[in-house]
Amino acid sequence: GRLCLLLEKYADKVSLAEPSKTQLAIAKDFLKDHPGVDRQLMQADDLKFKDGSVDLFTMIRVMHHLPDPTKEFGELHRSLADDGLIILELANYAHFRNRLKHFVKGKKLPLEPVDIRSAKNRRDDEVAFVNHNPKTIIKQLDKSGFEIVKILSVSNLRSPGLKKFIPKGIMLSVERVMQPTFAKSFFGPSVFFLLKKK
């Protein structure tokens, strides 16, 4: 519920939709001084919001749990107001370093989601953890009735080594320039989409 604190400053009502009872209990404690934030137990493929009732959805660090987000995109489209927006973050398998690795090995980047769980956690009773190819997600979003308003490439300078040598302020300034500039090449390990209904 960390983003709820920010969103609360700009919205009349903020709802935290979370499928985990454990996480909702943590959020209850975290948000104890914010009674206006509504906490609801629900899955993204079965949202309990009325048709066209939500002005803004934010999905950050969610897509990596959705190998096939088709149903979730359908629910988002149903619940989103006609003039509403979605901020969607994606763990990007097609980032520059992965493209370079695949090129060196003479392999194509996969279009389907890539399971990044450890071998011992690749079981049906474990939560999915995948990285997506943005090109595939863009097609799925289009098919689900969404238009992309803006794309950002994020965490372009994610490197423990760089942090040791380059001051934080400089890195943040460079990152701000890189985010829109490198967006269409999906350079960084995270991609943000701003979406609206077609």
Side-chain angles (χ1 to χ4, degrees):
R2 294 186 303 269
L3 283 177
C4 293
L5 301 181
L6 173 68
L7 295 171
E8 195 177 31
K9 296 176 183 178
Y10 302 97
D12 295 329
K13 180 180 180 185
V14 176
S15 295
L16 171 63
E18 170 59 53
S20 163
K21 290 181 181 178
T22 302
Q23 291 299 317
L24 271 182
I26 292 168
K28 182 179 181 180
D29 183 56
F30 180 75
L31 297 168
K32 65 182 179 291
D33 297 327
H34 300 270
V37 176
D38 181 37
R39 297 175 309 280
Q40 297 190 39
L41 183 68
M42 69 175 84
Q43 298 281 351
D45 63 354
D46 185 24
L47 297 172
K48 305 302 182 193
F49 303 115
K50 292 179 182 176
D51 293 2
S53 64
V54 179
D55 295 318
L56 174 69
F57 279 106
T58 60
M59 281 183 58
I60 314 298
R61 308 291 296 159
V62 174
M63 286 293 294
H64 57 256
H65 296 309
L66 307 175
D68 178 5
T70 305
K71 287 182 181 177
E72 289 80 3
F73 288 169
E75 275 293 275
L76 290 168
H77 193 275
R78 179 193 64 76
S79 304
L80 189 66
D82 288 340
D83 60 348
L85 295 170
I86 298 176
I87 298 171
L88 177 76
E89 181 265 345
L90 179 73
N92 174 23
Y93 189 78
H95 62 79
F96 178 73
R97 286 177 60 196
N98 268 356
R99 288 200 303 262
L100 194 57
K101 286 177 189 177
H102 279 70
F103 176 77
V104 168
K105 293 177 181 178
K107 294 182 177 181
K108 288 186 175 182
L109 276 173
L111 292 174
E112 66 277 357
V114 177
D115 191 336
I116 59 170
R117 294 176 293 179
S118 65
K120 73 175 189 171
N121 287 329
R122 289 187 187 192
R123 303 186 321 261
D124 290 340
D125 62 336
E126 286 292 325
V127 175
F129 205 88
V130 299
N131 285 353
H132 291 274
N133 187 314
K135 291 180 179 178
T136 300
I137 294 299
I138 288 170
K139 288 178 183 176
Q140 291 172 315
L141 288 166
D142 180 61
K143 192 173 182 181
S144 297
F146 290 111
E147 178 183 333
I148 297 171
V149 177
K150 188 173 185 177
I151 303 174
L152 293 177
S153 173
V154 179
S155 299
N156 299 289
L157 300 176
R158 185 188 297 169
S159 165
L162 284 176
K163 289 179 182 179
K164 291 178 184 176
F165 301 106
I166 302 175
K168 182 179 176 181
I170 292 174
M171 286 193 53
L172 289 173
S173 295
V174 173
E175 175 72 19
R176 275 189 211 101
V177 172
M178 291 179 77
Q179 287 181 357
T181 306
F182 287 78
K184 290 189 179 175
S185 68
F186 309 119
F187 182 87
S190 284
V191 174
F192 275 73
F193 295 103
L194 181 63
L195 308 167
K196 67 178 183 179
K197 285 184 175 181
K198 289 183 187 176

